[in-house]
C-alpha cells in the first residue's frame, strides 16, 4: 500500500500478509509508517494506491463490513477516566447494540479474562498503566472481532505494565483471533509474534519468524570474556575470521555457525594457549542486532542506488 501526507511518503509500497489466527508483529522505529498502516487496515484512512484486504474484504469498497469484523487498540484509547472499568466496557457494549444485559455480561467476562474483575468498579483514573491498557484491550474486544489491531500496545508502560499486557495478548492467542501488533520493541515482537515484518521508511525490509530473522543476520555468535585484557589480541587470532574485540569489556565476539563445535574448539584453543577465560557463551543474535543490521543494509543499498 501507498500513502502520502503532502510530500511526505508515509507508506511506500508496504506489503503485508498475515495468516489467519496468528499474531503478526510489525516492527519498526518511530516514523516507519506503522500507525498509517494500521489506520488504513482499520478503514480510518484510505490508501492512495494498493489493494488492501482484511478478513477477505476490501477495506475501501467494503469498509462497513470490515469494521464489523475488527477491533482496534490505538496508541491513545478512548476510555472515560471518571467511570469505572466495568462501566466503560458496559458503555461500549451498548454502543455496539449488545443490549443492557448482553453488555453487562460481556463486560464481566472481559474483566475476568484480563484480571480486572476486582477493580471493575474503581474509576479508571486510579488504574495503573498496565491496568488501563488491559482495559483498552478489553474494550477493543467487545465485539469479539475476527481481526484485532494493536498499535504499540505497551509504549509508555513500565516493565510490569508491559508484562501484564503481554500476558493479556498471549491469552488472545488460541482463541482464533488474528492479531496485527505494531511495536518498536524488538523483544516484544520476539515474545508475542508468530511472524514479524520489519518495516522502515514505509516498506517492509524483512519478513519471517524471529528465528529466521536472527539467522539472516549471520547466525550464532560466541562471546568470550578474558581475565587478562593483555591477551585479547592473541585470543582473537585463535578465534578465526570475523572477530570483534571489545577492549573495555575484555570481550571477544566471533561467528559460531556450528554452535557446540565452535564452543568446544574455542575452549580447547584457549586452554592450549594458557589463556584464562572468565566467561564463554554461544548465543543467538538479539533482535536489536537484527534490526540494526537490516536497517543499515537498506541504508547502504539506498546510498548505492542514489
Ligand atoms: N497526519 C500526518 N501529516 C503529515 N505527516 C504525517 C502524518 N501522520 C504521519 N505522518 C508522517 O508519516 C510517517 C509515518 O508516520 P506513522 O505512520 O505515524 O509512523 P509510526 O507509527 O511507525 O511512528 C512519519 O514520517 C510521520 O511524520
Ligand atoms: Mg505510530
Amino acid at each position: 500500500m501507498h500513502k502520502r501526507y503532502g510530500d511526505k511518503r508515509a507508506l511506500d509500497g508496504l506489503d503485508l500478509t498475515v495468516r489467519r489466527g496468528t499474531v503478526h508483529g510489525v516492527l519498526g522505529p518511530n516514523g516507519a509508517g506503522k500507525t498509517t498502516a494500521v489506520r488504513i487496515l482499520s478503514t480510518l484512512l484510505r490508501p492512495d494506491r494498493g489493494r488492501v484486504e482484511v478478513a477477505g474484504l476490501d477495506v475501501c469498497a467494503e469498509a462497513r463490513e470490515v469494521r464489523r469484523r475488527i477491533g482496534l487498540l490505538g496508541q491513545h484509547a478512548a476510555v472515560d477516566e471518571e467511570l469505572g472499568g466495568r462501566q466503560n466496557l458496559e458503555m461500549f457494549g451498548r454502543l455496539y447494540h449488545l443490549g443492557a444485559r448482553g453488555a453487562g455480561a460481556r463486560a464481566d467476562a472481559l474483566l475476568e479474562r484480563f484480571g480486572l474483575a476486582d477493580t471493575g468498579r474503581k474509576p479508571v483514573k486510579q488504574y495503573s498503566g498496565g491496568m488501563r491498557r488491559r482495559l483498552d484491550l478489553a474494550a477493543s474486544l467487545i465485539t469479539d472481532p475476527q481481526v484485532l489491531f494493536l498499535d504499540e500496545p505497551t509504549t509508555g508502560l513500565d516493565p510490569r505494565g508491559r508484562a501484564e499486557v503481554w500476558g493479556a495478548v498471549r491469552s488472545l492467542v488460541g482463541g482464533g483471533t488474528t492479531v496485527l501488533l505494531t511495536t518498536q520493541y524488538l523483544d516484544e515482537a520476539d515474545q508475542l509474534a508468530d511472524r514479524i515484518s520489519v518495516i522502515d521508511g514505509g516498506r517492509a525490509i524483512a519478513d519471517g519468524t524471529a528465528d529466521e530473522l536472527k539467522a539472516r543476520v549471520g547466525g550464532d555468535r560466541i562471546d568470550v570474556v578474558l581475565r587478562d585484557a593483555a591477551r585479547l589480541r592473541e585470543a582473537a587470532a585463535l578465534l578465526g575470521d570475523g572477530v570483534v574485540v571489545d577492549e573495555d569489556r575484555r570481550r571477544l565476539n566471533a561467528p559460531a555457525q556450528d554452535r557446540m563445535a565452535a564452543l568446544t574448539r574455542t575452549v580447547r584453543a584457549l586452554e592450549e594457549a594458557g589463556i584464562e577465560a572468565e566467561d564463554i557463551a554461544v548465543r543467538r543474535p538479539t533482535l536489536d542486532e537484527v534490526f540494526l543490521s537490516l536497517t543499515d543494509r537498506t541504508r547502504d543499498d539506498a546510498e548505492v542506488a542514489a
Side-chain angles (χ1 to χ4, degrees):
M1 50 188 129
H2 293 259
K3 183 72 194 177
R4 276 170 182 273
Y5 299 104
D7 289 346
K8 173 79 209 168
R9 261 187 229 187
L11 294 181
D12 190 17
L14 175 64
D15 197 1
L16 279 180
T17 307
V18 178
R19 288 182 202 162
R20 192 181 294 250
T22 64
V23 179
H24 194 97
V26 173
L27 171 66
N30 239 326
K34 300 180 298 295
T35 297
T36 304
V38 166
R39 289 174 61 82
I40 289 173
L41 289 163
S42 55
T43 78
L44 297 173
L45 194 67
R46 288 177 77 92
D48 299 335
R49 226 153 21 98
R51 187 173 160 69
V52 183
E53 279 184 8
V54 170
L57 299 163
D58 187 292
V59 292
C60 293
E62 299 163 293
R64 277 169 66 97
E65 285 70 31
V66 169
R67 251 172 254 151
R68 241 180 254 145
R69 288 171 172 78
I70 63 172
L72 169 64
L73 174 63
Q75 265 172 282
H76 312 282
V79 292
D80 190 317
E81 296 268 334
E82 304 297 326
L83 299 181
R86 187 176 187 282
Q87 275 176 300
N88 265 292
L89 293 182
E90 225 181 337
M91 206 175 62
F92 282 116
R94 283 168 182 254
L95 228 55
Y96 287 107
H97 312 296
L98 292 185
R101 218 188 308 156
R106 185 87 184 121
D108 288 331
L110 286 168
L111 289 171
E112 182 69 45
R113 180 167 175 188
F114 293 119
L116 295 168
D118 295 341
T119 46
R121 305 208 175 268
K122 239 202 220 179
V124 171
K125 61 182 175 198
Q126 292 173 21
Y127 278 25
S128 70
M131 286 165 67
R132 279 194 69 127
R133 280 277 82 180
R134 280 182 285 150
L135 183 68
D136 294 339
L137 196 56
S140 70
L141 286 169
I142 285 283
T143 56
D144 198 13
Q146 230 174 298
V147 182
L148 181 65
F149 298 102
L150 305 176
D151 193 12
E152 297 199 23
T154 68
T155 295
L157 292 183
D158 60 17
R160 183 187 169 152
R162 291 180 79 196
E164 289 173 10
V165 171
W166 285 1
V169 173
R170 281 204 195 92
S171 80
L172 296 172
V173 183
T177 319
T178 305
V179 180
L180 184 140
L181 165 128
T182 77
T183 182
Q184 4 181 348
Y185 299 125
L186 308 126
D187 56 335
E188 182 158 294
D190 201 3
Q191 286 282 326
L192 297 177
D194 298 303
R195 292 186 74 80
I196 298 168
S197 296
V198 182
I199 77 166
D200 198 21
R203 65 176 107 168
I205 55 173
D207 190 87
T209 62
D211 281 344
E212 283 165 2
L213 292 176
K214 289 172 187 173
R216 276 185 56 168
V217 176
D220 298 327
R221 311 279 305 179
I222 186 163
D223 281 333
V224 180
V225 181
L226 298 187
R227 277 212 196 287
D228 182 3
R231 306 203 67 182
L232 274 171
R233 296 286 148 194
E234 199 185 332
L238 296 172
L239 283 173
D241 291 337
V243 187
V244 180
V245 182
D246 180 342
E247 303 258 2
D248 294 341
R249 296 194 182 120
R250 287 174 280 121
R251 193 176 69 180
L252 301 164
N253 178 265
Q257 241 60 297
D258 45 1
R259 287 186 74 83
M260 290 316 290
L263 186 58
T264 315
R265 220 172 30 240
T266 305
V267 171
R268 280 214 190 110
L270 291 173
E271 222 168 55
E272 274 165 23
I275 302 174
E276 221 181 323
E278 206 169 83
D279 194 24
I280 301 185
V282 177
R283 61 173 177 86
R284 303 208 178 281
T286 64
L287 269 180
D288 283 292
E289 288 166 323
V290 173
F291 190 72
L292 287 174
S293 145
L294 288 170
T295 46
D296 276 356
R297 225 168 271 169
T298 40
R299 270 191 202 116
D300 290 349
D301 291 350
E303 271 158 30
V304 171

